[in-house]
Amino acid sequence: MSSWGAGPAEADRGEAGGVRTALAGLTTRGRSFLAAGIAAAICSFVLGLSELLRVGLLLAVLPLLCAAVLYRTRYRVAASRRLAPARVPAGSEARVHLRMDNVSRLPTGLLMLQDRVPYVLGPRPRFVLDRVEPGGRREVSYRVRSDLRGRYPLGPLQLRLTDPFGMCELTRSFSTYDTLTVIPRVEPLSPVRFGGEAKGYGDGLQRSLALAGEDDVIPRGYRYGDDLRRVHWRSTARYGELMVRREEQPRRSRCTVLLDTRGGAYEGAGPDSAFEWAVSGAASVLVHMLERGFSVRLLTDSGSAVPGEGADGFAGTGQETADAAGLMMDTLAVIDHSDGTGLSRAYDVLRGGNEGLLIAFLGDLDEEQATTVAKMSRRSGGAVAFVLDPDTWTREATDVPRPGDRHERRLRMLREAGWTALSVPRGASADELWRRADRERSGLTAVSGEAR
């Protein structure tokens, strides 16, 4: 749960345009009273009825008096907002807590609160608060929900002041607002090894000795707590200070998740579209591999990655893993279709070195892009591709299935290049495809071993 919003805002009376502001705040009831009073006064002169004049003056003065009193009210209130949580998956609810504090020495009158909320999160919430004593506090809350990813501003909060007779209302806006981040849905994935390749940090360590050779140890300076049996006396004599042999350095397995965001590769929009499935699948794999101890990197067709990401991607344990996952989810929350038409930029990034395990979520591929993707597997320790079937994602559920010869040719081309390529039909389960990819990858590894 996030903390209360920083810096309470204040609602106080203004000086500019005082009379105009007060009269503009008259409600329908106040305007009706004022019009009735003026009409009664005119009729009293026409008909010569002094009693009607007194009634007209009473009707006209009452809304003006209420507006003047309300406008000159000098109590001050402070507001704050808290989101619980501030980052929520698509389709889940978040609760927004509002707190109002009366920081003046006078009790308030009737207060009406309205928070500005984007239409995709639901209707604007409104609350009515009765008299708040000096130094008092009132707390209210409401729920928001969105099926679409994104970052949505909440606020600023509007406060409406009204008099007991309902003749006048004045609106004050607070300056602070908060942001609700709706991240993609993350589906839990089964722990798999893809035929034993690219094992994680905790599942069979791959270690690299920090050595220039078996006998030529690169030492480092002595640190408090080092075992004296590791002191390298030759280097100690050379540098004039205690030097110790370096320990074996664990090498963290790497995983790159490639997300195809080309606008022409997907059709349809909305929470159930093919592109949203690809984003959700990429998010699920990123979180799963990061929890398994991999150094994880997110890559798009434009060659861009997550801001703040290192050369080897995000890696860490405990709180570092949670922070890395949060940064990736924030990036995927606002990711959208790119203007590019090819995957060559992503290929240029991948061919720079061994990227470890490569997992790709791809849209519709033409022959040129399929050839580019096929070459990406050369620098990876294992390559798995989830290719969305355009025929099943574009037709209605009642349509007769059409043969996807073009789609099957693309899958065959990727498999011949060493990919474990799977077709993704409409409404497919990410975990089911994940386990199926492991079975196919394991079978491919076994067949390759027998051939050798």
Side-chain angles (χ1 to χ4, degrees), residues 263-339:
Y266 303 92
E267 294 186 12
D272 297 327
S273 63
F275 181 67
E276 292 302 320
W277 191 98
V279 174
S280 178
S284 302
V285 172
L286 287 170
V287 172
H288 175 75
M289 303 305 286
L290 194 61
E291 290 175 349
R292 290 192 59 198
F294 279 71
S295 292
V296 181
R297 180 172 66 166
L298 173 63
L299 183 67
T300 64
D301 57 285
S302 60
S304 60
V306 180
E309 184 177 78
D312 294 334
F314 286 105
T317 57
Q319 185 60 38
E320 294 180 359
T321 299
D323 295 340
L327 287 174
M328 291 184 177
M329 292 301 103
D330 289 344
T331 300
L332 290 177
V334 296
I335 200 167
D336 202 354
H337 292 293
S338 66
D339 297 331

